[in-house]
Amino acid sequence: MAAFPEGKSEERKHKNNPNGSGASQGQWGRAWEVDWFSLASVLFLLTFSPLIVYYFIMSCDQYHCSLTDPITDVLMGNSHLSDIWNKTPSLSWKAANIYIFWVTFQVMLYILVPDFCHKFLPGYVGGVQEGALTPAGTVNKYEINGLQAWIITHALWFANAYYFHWFSPTIIFDNWIPLLWCANILGYTASTFAMIKSYFFPSNPNDCKFTGNLFYDYMMGIEFNPRIGKWFDFKLFFNGRPGIVAWTLINLSYAAKQQELYGQVTNSMILVNVLQGIYVLDFFWNEAWYLKTIDICHDHFGWYLGWGDCVWLPYLYTLQGLYLVYHPVQLSTANAVGILLLGLVGYYIFRMTNHQKDLFRRTDGNCKIWGKKPEYIECSYTSVDGTKYYSKLMISGFWGVARHFNYTGDLMGSLAYCLTCGFGHILPYFYIIYMTILLTHRCIRDEHRCSSKYSKDWKRYTTAVPYRLIPGVF
Ligand code: NDP
């Protein structure tokens, strides 16, 4: 799939108005002006997100992954906040060295090793690729080599685990909280640096958005595509590496810890490793395609991406594996097969839905979806400069089942990860709760943008495909 690069037909129509429409600019990414609600939300997230991450990880470390025990302990007077804090491992030189090595290694793989995977992997789109046209009219070039970085990193990981024995494969788990402080330092440094950079040496001044509100600008970002030099792109680097390359390594470290503690790796841990591994590999296989998704096309680089990619993602997306170290669940064969099927079907729906839209847009509708020529609704919209453009919304395949069936598939996969952990605690279910909120909110934001972009044509589309995520329900 992938292959957006040759998919220019839709973009030509968007020439003056790359990210969708003039009418709807500003619905994504961040605003030009800050209302009190946005400011309150920003302050809330800036304050509480780091605490939430700490709370989850500390609960596993000190309370066997119970989210309620720390609160009851403190309320009953059995423990003070200072006791919990004093028991929390602090930043160590060992963790700092591991983290510095890790990030430096990923930076080197990103900027020094041009992609060779696209030369021998059929269908894979890597090497130098173009991103979407930015609002100021720039088309950035990217070196797509995430798959290669992932393969090299994991090959070294396995070589170490089975042959060299330079370090223990449990190293990540063993230093998990000290590494949290390192990840925070990098997240805050990257976001603060990006903010200062946008004032003094922005990569593209015309793509900067200032509201004048320091907190909002810090959180949502000012620069659209901050870069150092020609190739070091903050969004691409932080979005994929070090967080997503680390995701599968973190899970492997949890599996190694289970082996060390219990002498075996449970089938639930294997399922988490396999299902999340497929998701991560899919991300890197389609890295060029991700250049055209909402994340890269509409979001500015601020704390939300910088800190989120360094801390939120690696610490909270991997909670199932962490939980299984403390509670090794061995699933019955029927349950394991059921969960595997849910995860695989979810992944299939997620991938095929994205693929169908990609193919449809790339060929301008001249393709086959489920063996037939796709049906679609012809749409038009007008850009800020008054130019009329034409587009198409497909109502065949998965896009005729629901308006965001790709999100539904994503949610099915997310639920499968959580179900591997059984029903002993709520903590591993954080992921499905978070993804449901994230994708429902995203769906509503996207539809708001599309509705103001396509107006009455969007109404025709929603009449033809009445449900967003689950036919007959929502
Ligand atoms: P989509 O890929 O769903 O793209 C939405 C856009 O597609 C719309 O704005 C519209 O753009 C166009 N479109 C909508 N309906 C149709 C149609 N019927 N036919 C043709 N084009 C249509 O959105 P995302 O970029 O949010 O998602 C990409 C993937 O990333 C998803 O599968 C999602 O699940 C995943 N994801 C994962 C996250 C995670 O943390 N794990 C986070 C976010 C996303 P236009 O203006 O061009 O018409």
Side-chain angles (χ1 to χ4, degrees):
M1 74 137 285
F4 246 93
E6 64 264 40
K8 293 283 197 269
S9 60
E10 180 63 15
E11 263 171 43
R12 244 180 269 124
K13 291 172 195 161
H14 288 187
K15 198 94 182 152
N16 297 326
N17 198 7
N19 296 329
S21 79
S24 57
Q25 282 288 345
Q27 301 293 348
W28 273 101
R30 45 156 295 167
W32 286 99
E33 284 172 15
V34 189
D35 55 55
W36 69 267
F37 180 74
S38 307
L39 182 61
S41 312
V42 160
L43 290 175
F44 177 85
L45 288 171
L46 279 172
T47 312
F48 287 102
S49 307
L51 289 178
I52 291 171
V53 178
Y54 170 73
Y55 189 80
F56 274 80
I57 305 304
M58 177 280 297
S59 299
C60 282
D61 188 45
Q62 296 183 30
Y63 291 90
H64 259 67
C65 300
S66 166
L67 288 178
T68 47
D69 283 0
I71 298 170
T72 41
D73 225 17
V74 170
L75 290 180
M76 305 287 282
N78 299 332
S79 197
H80 290 105
L81 288 179
S82 57
D83 300 328
I84 294 178
W85 182 249
N86 289 338
K87 273 194 252 165
T88 304
S90 46
L91 179 62
S92 65
W93 276 113
K94 185 175 180 192
N97 286 331
I98 295 169
Y99 201 73
I100 290 169
F101 175 79
W102 164 249
V103 177
T104 311
F105 185 58
Q106 291 307 315
V107 171
M108 283 166 58
L109 288 179
Y110 177 53
I111 52 175
L112 298 181
V113 194
D115 187 70
F116 61 84
C117 287
H118 70 281
K119 298 195 173 150
F120 65 89
L121 286 175
Y124 171 67
V125 180
V128 178
Q129 301 293 334
E130 285 186 353
L133 200 64
T134 70
T138 309
V139 176
N140 285 306
K141 284 198 159 74
Y142 296 83
E143 173 71 43
I144 297 296
N145 60 0
L147 182 66
Q148 172 175 283
W150 187 89
I151 292 171
I152 294 174
T153 307
H154 285 71
L156 286 173
W157 177 272
F158 281 107
N160 170 70
Y162 290 102
Y163 186 69
F164 294 116
H165 307 297
W166 291 317
F167 54 85
S168 164
T170 62
I171 191 169
I172 302 177
F173 176 88
D174 295 339
N175 293 278
W176 201 217
I177 294 185
L179 285 170
L180 174 63
W181 309 133
C182 303
N184 269 285
I185 292 171
L186 180 66
Y188 279 97
T189 308
S191 329
T192 310
F193 177 77
M195 172 125 177
I196 295 169
K197 180 179 171 317
S198 61
Y199 279 96
F200 297 106
F201 47 104
S203 302
N204 187 346
N206 295 337
D207 269 326
C208 290
K209 267 191 187 178
F210 294 91
T211 61
N213 186 299
L214 219 64
F215 292 109
Y216 187 85
D217 286 354
Y218 182 66
M219 165 115 181
M220 298 306 288
I222 296 171
E223 272 204 81
F224 196 59
N225 292 118
R227 287 191 165 204
I228 293 180
K230 197 174 167 204
W231 292 111
F232 189 83
D233 184 88
F234 278 54
K235 250 201 246 174
L236 190 66
F237 179 76
F238 283 102
N239 196 32
R241 324 71 172 289
I244 301 189
V245 179
W247 189 344
T248 33
L249 287 186
I250 295 164
N251 281 341
L252 286 170
S253 185
Y254 292 154
K257 195 68 194 178
Q258 260 201 350
Q259 178 71 38
E260 184 187 289
L261 290 175
Y262 312 107
Q264 63 153 336
V265 178
T266 59
N267 58 4
S268 52
M269 180 66 94
I270 295 170
L271 272 176
V272 167
N273 270 266
V274 169
L275 291 176
Q276 296 190 345
I278 293 172
Y279 195 74
V280 166
L281 259 177
D282 177 275
F283 174 86
F284 286 117
W285 184 269
N286 296 295
E287 199 179 17
W289 168 78
Y290 271 93
L291 294 179
K292 311 282 166 92
T293 62
I294 286 164
D295 284 341
I296 303 276
C297 289
H298 297 275
D299 287 333
H300 290 239
F301 186 86
W303 184 86
Y304 164 75
L305 284 181
W307 181 86
D309 291 334
C310 289
V311 181
W312 186 267
L313 190 155
Y315 276 83
L316 295 189
Y317 283 25
T318 57
L319 281 176
Q320 294 83 31
L322 181 64
Y323 176 86
L324 291 171
V325 173
Y326 293 94
H327 301 269
V329 172
Q330 186 64 25
L331 296 161
S332 68
T333 308
N335 283 347
V337 171
I339 291 171
L340 179 65
L341 282 178
L342 176 69
L344 292 179
V345 170
Y347 170 72
Y348 176 78
I349 291 174
F350 160 81
R351 176 47 40 221
M352 286 315 293
T353 312
N354 288 328
H355 172 69
Q356 287 179 352
K357 188 188 83 176
D358 179 29
L359 181 68
F360 173 77
R361 282 279 167 98
R362 190 155 35 93
T363 57
D364 203 19
N366 294 313
C367 58
K368 289 220 162 136
I369 302 289
W370 290 351
K372 287 191 292 200
K373 213 170 162 10
E375 291 177 39
Y376 52 81
I377 288 181
E378 292 266 15
C379 314
S380 66
Y381 63 93
T382 312
S383 70
V384 271
D385 63 6
T387 315
K388 197 166 181 182
Y389 294 90
Y390 294 92
S391 186
K392 294 184 177 87
L393 293 167
M394 175 164 58
I395 52 170
S396 291
F398 285 122
W399 293 88
V401 177
R403 300 199 295 271
H404 270 103
F405 216 50
N406 48 349
Y407 292 180
T408 310
D410 210 346
L411 290 175
M412 286 167 71
S414 308
L415 180 63
Y417 312 156
C418 302
L419 287 174
T420 58
C421 298
F423 298 103
H425 284 277
I426 185 83
L427 180 135
Y429 287 83
F430 165 82
Y431 190 68
I432 181 65
I433 296 168
Y434 167 74
M435 285 298 282
T436 305
I437 296 169
L438 178 91
L439 292 180
T440 310
H441 179 241
R442 200 179 173 91
C443 178
I444 291 166
R445 276 209 296 170
D446 184 51
E447 299 223 334
H448 185 49
R449 189 182 76 82
C450 288
S451 166
S452 54
K453 176 178 178 178
Y454 295 121
S455 186
K456 61 177 180 5
D457 291 333
W458 183 254
K459 261 222 129 12
R460 284 167 54 220
Y461 173 57
T462 56
T463 307
V465 188
Y467 292 99
R468 291 176 170 121
L469 295 176
I470 307 171
V473 181
F474 175 67

